[in-house]
Amino acid sequence: MPLHDKFGRRITDVRVSVTDRCNFRCVYCRSADPENYRPEDELLSWDELVGVARVLHGLGLEKVRVTGGEPMVRPGVIEFISRLRDLGFHDLSMTTNGQLLAESCDRLIRAGLHRINISLDSLDAEKFERVTRTRKFQSVMDGIHAAQASSLRPVKVNAVLVRGLNDDEVEAFAELARSAGITMRFIEFMPLDADRHWSRAVVVPAAEVRSRIHARWPLVQVPHAPSETARKYRFADGAPGEIGLIAPVTEPFCGHCSRIRITADGKLRTCLFSLQDHDLRPFLRNGASDLDLADFIKEKVLEKEHGHRINEPDFVPPSRTMVFIGG
Ligand code: SF4
């Protein structure tokens, strides 16, 4: 039986975080201070991650997005993708900061990866350094070019817009979409940052991004599946590339949510903004059957939140921040 929540939403997608480590330290995600990484033995092993994926596949889930932290920093991630392919998932994608992508692109594809999301929050190398606290701009651009030259499709580039930091680059990012023929996606900043600097004042609404690009290059909306997070647009003049707007704050899309998440330390999260986790490790580490684990997951998914409460007066951000959840 396909997996449904109490609102009748079918759950078809899982985002699997394979590590809480990252080689970047983006200001809208991580703190400048060292984090309390989970000890290695608290993270799920590859066999345990495959075990969870096998059960989810049995529950009718079709799509897996591999996330982190930064998934490429954990040795064995490429083999993990091939094991997901062998389980029968027909849609395998990854969210990466792109730094290690150029050298791994071919192996990822041979392992079964279909599509990729690459984070890039500035086209200015100096600002990139300020945002990510690394000097890896060129290797990320090399990663994007390698993906573009490969069979991975679509290649999506994601920019988290923060007012006063990179919102001046909206048109430049749109130009990149047109010149490189990629899908450029703008993500509204969400209250999941480690330093809790998020406020509504630094959110750049998708409507503003849409009207700024439309004023320069008229856009035409592209039909999308209700459960998709991005609203998609093509250029009316026929230029290649696409624009995607992900607006969880100003235009929430929770009503058709089809996603759950598995954290690197083995917690089921039924919503990005869940205030509680459901620990799968007691099942994985005490010899429980796949059926037992499936029953537990079904039970918890029935409790899935209708949506985030960012726009509600009683909103409380989750104690777990983005690097410990995975995008
Ligand atoms: S905030 Fe939660 S319910 Fe809304 S789309 Fe994201 S995961 Fe789904």
Side-chain angles (χ1 to χ4, degrees), residues 9 253-254 257 259 261 270-273 304-308:
R9 295 174 296 189
F253 36 79
C254 303
C257 182
R259 289 166 293 284
R261 289 174 168 81
T270 49
C271 169
L272 182 56
F273 289 90
K304 175 177 168 69
E305 303 81 348
H306 185 266
H308 66 62

